[in-house]
């Protein structure tokens, strides 16, 4: 705000929450303290800060219009519709973690990354999107809750990656069609359509057809609510789920695991050692030469899964299970979400298309 221009280093980023951490050096830097976005209520006043249309340090005001909004904009890279893609998408959960704070504070292009603060000046959200048919603000804006952002920041600084947790279910927000079809005794919550083998939920005693209506004393009305409550946790921790089963409410203590089924926190070094590969983003010049849109080159092979699969040095990865790889962090993000075989497509040193499959 005082006109200084500072260079920044990217510490890490998390496409599933649309959060990144950057590091700058400077004197007399002001900062905001995190607030508790769980304490927000619909109707609370908030302020949005940002740089819309290059109008530096603009502040707008509004109220919280809704909480726990899911709009399907984060991690939405799986848009193909081949039978293979539909099969893989059925096995893996949506990649984006969304439980937006919806406000009517005016937000426009340039506000993304700006602060959403309460009347105590605490950071309770990060502005990230608008709902608009014109590209400009039309009354609805969305912010990432501070509870999700704070956990992402902490994990990126400590581990280099966000430590994702799952309870081991497949399902979705309860809607009238599900209530009628399954003859549910509750109109809100998260319907459990299937349970992951060896997951925390099935071991705790949850069953297909259960409806999760609470977690650690907080009500759960949607999948967004559930994701927001799980986001601050790390693998190995436990949560208490309140479940409606055919009209009766029961509590279950569930151990949280990583998407791969582990209970240990894992940093970047451990993951890349597991793969046994060093990688780099392909330059624009090489992309044009190879006639591809994006990719990551394998620069070095060590002992690990890539070596076992036969992937050679110099191979350019373009897709993992049909999802396009834009940068090195995408490799980890895509692989960690997969239950089953990993299908890797790309271009070899000879410029010819090739692929590798690993169970």
């Amino acid at each position: 705000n005082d006109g200084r221009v500072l260079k920044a280093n990217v510490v890490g980023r998390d496409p599933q929450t649309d959060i990144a951490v950057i590091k700058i050096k400077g004197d007399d830097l002001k900062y905001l303290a995190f607030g508790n976005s769980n304490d927000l209520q619909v109707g609370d006043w908030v302020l949005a800060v940002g740089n819309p249309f290059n109008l530096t340090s603009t502040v707008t005001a509004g109220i919280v219009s809704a909480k726990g909004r899911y709009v399907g904009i984060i991690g939405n890279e799986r848009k193909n519709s081949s039978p293979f893609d539909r099969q893989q998408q059925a096995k893996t959960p949506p990649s984006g973690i969304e439980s937006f704070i919806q406000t009517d504070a005016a937000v426009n292009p340039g506000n993304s990354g700006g602060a959403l603060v309460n009347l105590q000046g605490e950071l309770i959200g990060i502005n990230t999107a608008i709902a608009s048919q014109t590209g400009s603000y039309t009354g609805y804006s969305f912010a990432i809750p501070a509870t999700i952002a704070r956990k992402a920041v902490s994990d990126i600084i400590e581990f280099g990656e966000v430590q994702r947790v799952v309870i081991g279910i497949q399902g979705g927000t309860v809607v009238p069609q599900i209530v009628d079809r399954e003859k549910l005794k509750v109109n809100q919550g998260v319907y459990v359509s299937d349970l992951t083998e060896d997951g925390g939920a099935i071991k705790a005693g949850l069953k297909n057809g259960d409806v999760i209506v609470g977690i650690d004393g907080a009500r759960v009305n949607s999948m967004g609510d559930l994701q927001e409550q799980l986001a601050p946790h790390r693998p190995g921790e436990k949560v208490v789920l309140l479940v409606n089963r055919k009209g009766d409410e029961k509590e279950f203590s569930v151990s949280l695991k990583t998407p791969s089924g582990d209970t240990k926190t894992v940093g970047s070094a451990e993951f890349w050692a597991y793969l046994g590969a060093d990688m780099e983003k392909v330059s624009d010049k090489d992309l044009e030469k190879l006639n591809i849109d994006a990719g990551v080159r394998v620069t070095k092979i060590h002992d690990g899964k890539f070596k076992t699969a036969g992937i050679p040095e110099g191979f350019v990865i373009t897709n993992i299970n049909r999802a396009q790889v834009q940068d090195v962090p995408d490799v980890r993000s895509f692989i960690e979400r997969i239950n089953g075989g990993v299908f890797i497509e790309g271009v070899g040193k000879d410029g010819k298309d090739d692929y590798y499959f690993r169970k």
Side-chain angles (χ1 to χ4, degrees):
N1 191 48
D2 61 10
R4 282 183 290 174
V5 177
L6 303 173
K7 291 185 178 180
N9 294 319
V10 178
V11 177
R13 63 190 184 96
D14 180 45
Q16 289 183 268
T17 55
D18 201 27
I19 292 290
V21 175
I22 61 174
K23 184 177 182 179
I24 60 175
K25 293 183 179 180
D27 298 323
D28 192 28
L29 295 172
K30 307 293 184 180
Y31 65 91
L32 289 173
F34 275 107
N36 187 353
S37 54
N38 288 334
D39 291 339
L40 278 179
Q41 297 184 31
V42 173
D44 283 351
W45 281 94
V46 290
L47 302 176
V49 185
N51 305 304
F53 305 122
N54 291 320
L55 299 173
T56 305
S57 301
T58 295
V59 179
T60 55
I63 63 168
V64 175
S65 305
K67 294 179 63 179
R69 286 293 197 213
Y70 175 84
V71 294
I73 61 170
I74 294 182
N76 190 23
E77 70 281 335
R78 298 177 302 163
K79 296 180 180 178
N80 298 321
S81 57
S82 69
F84 178 87
D85 295 314
R86 289 194 293 270
Q87 181 183 20
Q88 292 303 313
Q89 291 176 23
K91 293 180 180 179
T92 58
S95 60
I97 306 300
E98 293 188 15
S99 184
F100 289 130
I101 302 166
Q102 180 182 322
T103 79
D104 66 354
V107 168
N108 278 294
N111 274 106
S112 291
L116 186 73
V117 302
N118 58 22
L119 296 188
Q120 287 71 48
E122 298 171 325
L123 180 69
I124 45 85
I126 298 177
N127 301 315
T128 192
I130 59 176
S132 172
Q133 295 180 338
T134 65
S136 297
Y137 174 76
T138 57
Y140 307 98
S141 57
F142 303 94
I144 301 166
T147 52
I148 292 178
R150 187 173 192 170
K151 167 63 162 39
V153 169
S154 176
D155 281 359
I156 288 172
I157 291 173
E158 184 172 350
F159 300 102
E161 300 283 348
V162 173
Q163 303 300 304
R164 198 79 60 213
V165 296
V166 296
I167 56 177
I169 68 162
Q170 293 184 21
T173 300
V174 171
V175 295
Q177 295 90 331
I178 295 179
V179 174
D180 292 340
R181 187 186 71 218
E182 305 298 332
K183 295 180 174 55
L184 300 180
K185 303 297 184 181
V186 63
N187 295 317
Q188 291 181 311
V190 173
Y191 178 73
V192 179
S193 60
D194 201 1
L195 295 161
T196 304
E197 185 178 357
D198 293 328
I202 195 170
K203 289 185 176 181
L206 269 74
K207 298 180 179 180
N208 292 354
D210 284 345
V211 178
I212 300 171
V213 295
I215 177 171
D216 287 342
R219 296 299 297 183
V220 169
N221 295 326
S222 66
M223 181 61 81
D225 289 342
L226 182 61
Q227 288 182 330
E228 184 175 0
Q229 294 300 323
L230 287 174
H233 292 281
R234 287 181 173 174
E237 296 179 356
K238 291 186 176 182
V239 295
V240 176
L241 298 182
L242 181 63
V243 171
N244 186 292
R245 178 178 292 172
K246 297 181 179 179
D248 295 327
E249 290 192 345
K250 303 175 182 289
E251 288 188 343
F252 298 88
S253 179
V254 178
S255 296
L256 301 176
K257 297 185 177 183
T258 66
S260 60
D262 201 352
T263 58
K264 297 180 180 179
T265 54
V266 179
S268 294
E270 290 89 346
F271 177 79
W272 297 114
Y274 167 78
L275 288 189
D278 298 336
M279 303 181 196
E280 65 179 10
K281 184 177 181 179
V282 178
S283 67
D284 292 341
K285 181 179 178 180
D286 285 346
L287 290 177
E288 184 177 354
K289 182 179 178 181
L290 294 171
N291 194 29
I292 57 177
D293 295 328
V296 168
R297 179 178 284 110
V298 179
T299 58
K300 188 74 174 178
I301 290 291
H302 313 281
D303 290 336
K305 293 297 182 181
F306 270 35
K307 185 176 182 179
T308 305
I311 298 175
E313 293 180 1
F315 182 73
V316 174
I317 300 171
T318 59
N319 297 81
I320 296 178
N321 282 24
R322 305 298 189 189
Q324 189 180 66
V325 175
Q326 300 280 347
D327 206 343
V328 175
D330 290 341
V331 175
R332 177 174 184 177
S333 176
F334 294 162
I335 289 178
E336 284 192 327
R337 292 203 307 269
I338 296 170
N339 283 324
V342 178
F343 182 59
I344 297 176
E345 299 172 271
V347 181
K349 280 186 176 181
D350 56 4
K352 295 181 178 179
D353 294 342
D354 205 348
Y355 68 89
Y356 297 87
F357 181 78
R358 175 74 181 173
K359 290 185 177 181

